Structure formats: C-alpha cells, structure tokens
C-alpha cells in the first residue's frame, strides 16, 4: 500500500490506449458485497473499454440489454456512467450479472486489444471467499481479454494466487512490487521536489 501501485496501473492503461487498445480501471476498495462488485465492474467497463461505444444511445441500450438484471443508470457532471442494481437478488444472480458484464469485453476484443484492471482485488476475499473462483471461471472463458488482478494486501493476494485450491493459481504472470531501494526513491523524490520549485534535503 502507498507504493504507487495504482499510479503505475493507470500509466499502463494510458499507454495501452495510446497504442490503440481498449482498457479500463475498476477499484473494488469500497465494495462490501457481491452486488457492489457487480456494479463497480459494470460501471468500469462502460467508462473504460466500451466508452467509445456508449457515446451513442442505441449502442448503450443494446449493451445494457445483455445484463440479465436491468440496471439503474446514472451520469455524473463529467459524463461518466454509474450503474446500480436494486438489492434483493440471490448471490448467484450477482454472480451471473458479473459474468454478463465481463462478457461485454469479449465483444470489444473482436475489434481491438481489450483489457481491464481490477485494483484492490483482495476485497473479494474479504467479501466472499467464493468470489475469486467466479472471476477465475469467467477469465478462463474470456481468452481474448486481458484481466489484471492487483491488490495492496499481499497475504490476501497470496491466498488468491498461490497454494493448493487457490482460485487464481496458474493464471498468467504474477508480479510482486518490492520495497523501492532508498537511493532510487531519494532521487525520484528530489527530482519531483525540484520540478515543483522546492528544495528537499536528502540527508534529513
């Protein structure tokens, strides 16, 4: 936590987009239920990989028809979408809605490289132990889409990705961000301070 993981992910997303790919970012940090995870993922997909498609009303209506539970659609001052679903459905229904949302990415991947970053992914363990397996099953189905599972609590991410029975075991490449060496971090902070017209004492 606080080592710049999310900033690094956002820079990677920007680079993908500059090279013609479709990508998006979802943070699960504020999610506390399967329903909220489904809402966050659906909103992130509409605002990210599918953003160029959702500018036309007819495209948006068609995309939302693929969700088996009709969402309530909101738009903020910046034009970003937020989807919410009425509570009351069974846990299996939220699993299906989550799958429906992620399957929208497959349609986009037919036209250009498509990816989605799921940040603070350790929340799925804290919400429901079975959620990791749900994402694994959907990821196996979406062979043409790149999913990035990122988390800030290493012990929970280990539970998801290592050891017998771990839902994400053997999926893709695993990267662990280690502590940044003091010399490299000092040079970086000094450079940032100078760029902002401030002085930083490296010996403090």
């Amino acid at each position: 936590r606080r080592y710049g993981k999310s900033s690094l992910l956002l820079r990677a997303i920007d680079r993908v987009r500059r090279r013609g790919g479709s990508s998006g970012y979802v943070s699960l940090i504020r999610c506390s239920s399967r329903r909220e995870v489904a809402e966050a993922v659906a909103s992130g997909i509409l605002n990210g990989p599918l953003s160029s498609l959702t500018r036309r009303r007819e495209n948006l209506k068609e995309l939302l028809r693929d969700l088996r539970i009709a969402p309530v659609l909101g738009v903020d001052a910046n034009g970003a979408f937020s989807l919410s679903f009425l509570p009351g459905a069974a846990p299996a229904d939220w699993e299906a809605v989550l799958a429906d949302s992620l399957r929208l990415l497959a349609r986009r991947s037919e036209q250009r490289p498509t990816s989605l970053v799921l940040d603070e992914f350790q929340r799925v363990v804290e919400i429901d132990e079975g959620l990791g397996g749900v994402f694994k099953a959907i990821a196996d189905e979406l062979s043409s889409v790149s999913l990035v599972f990122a988390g800030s609590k290493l012990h929970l991410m280990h539970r998801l990705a290592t050891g017998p029975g771990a839902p994400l075991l053997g999926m893709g490449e695993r990267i662990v961000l280690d502590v940044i060496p003091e010399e490299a971090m000092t040079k970086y902070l000094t450079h940032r301070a100078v760029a902002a017209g401030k002085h930083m004492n490296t010996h403090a």
Side-chain angles (χ1 to χ4, degrees), residues 17 21-25 41-56 59-60 62-64 66-67 81 83 100-116 145:
R17 290 173 175 171
S22 293
S23 190
Y25 176 89
V41 170
S43 299
I45 289 173
L46 289 184
N47 290 313
L50 301 187
S51 59
S52 62
L53 299 179
T54 56
R55 292 171 190 154
R56 298 183 62 179
N59 288 344
L60 180 58
E62 180 184 352
L63 292 169
L64 296 181
D66 288 337
L67 303 180
F81 294 113
L83 268 71
D100 290 342
S101 300
L102 289 168
R103 287 187 184 113
L104 294 176
L105 295 172
R107 180 185 304 183
R108 189 58 171 152
S109 68
E110 295 173 357
Q111 302 165 332
R112 61 180 63 186
T114 302
S115 58
L116 183 70
V145 176

Side-chain angles (χ1 to χ4, degrees), residues 4 6 13 17 22 40 54 60 71 74 79 82 90 101 131 138 150 155 176 192:
S6 297
I13 290 171
R17 290 173 175 171
S22 293
T54 56
L60 180 58
S82 61
S101 300
L131 258 181
I138 301 170
H155 68 290
V176 178
R192 290 291 299 272

